[in-house]
Amino acid sequence: DQQVKQNSPSLSVQEGRISILNCDYTNSMFDYFLWYKKYPAEGPTFLISISSIKDKNEDGRFTVFLNKSAKHLSLHIVPSQPGDSAVYFCAAGRSQGNLIFGKGTKLSVKP
Amino acid sequence: DAGITQSPRHKVTETGTPVTLRCHQTENHRYMYWYRQDPGHGLRLIHYSYGVKDTDKGEVSDGYSVSRSKTEDFLLTLESATSSQTSVYFCATIGVGQGYYEQYFGPGTRLTVT
């Protein structure tokens, strides 16, 4: 049973526009959520996180939104750049627990 | 960058042979993890360690064992490799003082079992 779901395997966006990546979770005990970015032949790198006591966290062009009632989070990238083309993993965790990762969404930003 | 290296970076082996992958970190991080990444499955936790000689199983631990005899090294062993263990393997660490869940990942090892 998937506890963290990324239902869109891929997303294509024009350069300069907004990219919105979505993630759903089923375990209401999760209290911390993260997004990782992965380029081919490299390890994932941490991008941005949010705790369950917040509904928004912003870092430059990247903003994560958390809707606890819907058990949904999203990553907004504005404006999108070709260098943002990568696979994005959503992850969730709870106190004293390990991270659970989604299957990833491949973002392609076209010039 | 948490100074994480993985060796080897690529390996091809035959079914039934033992294989050991090494993760080395230079940051004295307490927690270390082994994941595998497969198409359609994302990242799945194999085993993790919360200190020297302290390890525990993750989601997909069958067919794998681990050892951690010193803080900087975390070894993943496939006792008898099978084709289903063809994957990309990532090591990760968390250090004291970082965000609790913000793991740093190594560059990965691509393992092919023929």
Side-chain angles (χ1 to χ4, degrees):
Chain A
D1 180 31
Q2 269 188 278
Q3 296 188 64
V4 178
K5 301 178 185 178
Q6 293 178 256
N7 293 319
S8 298
S10 63
L11 175 68
S12 183
V13 171
Q14 205 68 30
E15 181 179 6
R17 306 294 291 269
I18 185 171
S19 294
I20 300 176
L21 295 92
N22 294 303
C23 179
D24 297 296
Y25 62 95
T26 58
N27 190 341
S28 59
M29 299 298 290
F30 287 142
D31 57 9
Y32 210 77
F33 304 89
L34 307 89
W35 285 94
Y36 281 83
K37 177 179 179 179
K38 186 185 178 306
Y39 292 118
E42 294 184 11
T45 55
F46 168 73
L47 189 58
I48 192 169
S49 64
I50 188 168
S51 78
S52 60
I53 62 173
K54 295 185 175 181
D55 55 17
K56 176 182 174 181
N57 188 27
E58 191 171 355
D59 183 2
R61 296 186 297 115
F62 302 91
T63 303
V64 56
F65 295 92
L66 175 62
N67 183 334
K68 284 180 290 184
S69 61
K71 294 191 178 68
H72 177 84
L73 67 155
S74 60
L75 174 68
H76 292 211
I77 306 173
V78 183
S80 301
Q81 299 173 354
D84 296 329
S85 297
V87 176
Y88 290 78
F89 290 101
C90 169
R94 57 187 179 93
S95 298
Q96 306 305 314
N98 295 314
L99 288 179
I100 306 295
F101 286 83
K103 294 183 178 182
T105 296
K106 183 176 182 179
L107 173 65
S108 299
V109 180
K110 300 186 184 303
Chain B
D1 183 5
I4 302 172
T5 57
Q6 293 185 232
S7 58
R9 293 294 314 278
H10 301 271
K11 186 170 182 66
V12 179
T13 191
E14 293 184 349
T15 298
T17 59
V19 176
T20 295
L21 308 182
R22 180 185 184 229
C23 177
H24 179 78
Q25 53 113 345
T26 59
E27 301 295 322
N28 204 35
H29 289 176
R30 178 182 174 189
Y31 290 85
M32 298 185 75
Y33 305 81
W34 276 108
Y35 292 89
R36 59 178 290 174
Q37 185 199 1
D38 304 288
H41 289 279
L43 290 158
R44 293 182 291 175
L45 182 64
I46 305 171
H47 281 280
Y48 64 99
S49 169
Y50 43 95
V52 173
K53 297 186 179 178
D54 291 323
T55 65
D56 206 346
K57 297 179 180 180
E59 178 188 0
V60 289
S61 60
D62 287 349
Y64 301 95
S65 62
V66 290
S67 65
R68 192 165 179 205
S69 58
K70 24 182 198 175
T71 299
E72 57 266 36
D73 289 325
F74 192 30
L75 304 180
L76 177 70
T77 297
L78 291 66
E79 301 290 346
S80 177
T82 67
S83 58
S84 65
Q85 293 175 312
T86 292
S87 186
V88 181
Y89 292 85
F90 290 101
C91 173
T93 72
I94 292 178
V96 172
Q98 295 170 244
Y100 185 83
Y101 300 105
E102 293 166 18
Q103 298 180 10
Y104 290 110
F105 283 82
T109 293
R110 181 172 293 277
L111 176 68
T112 302
V113 183
T114 60

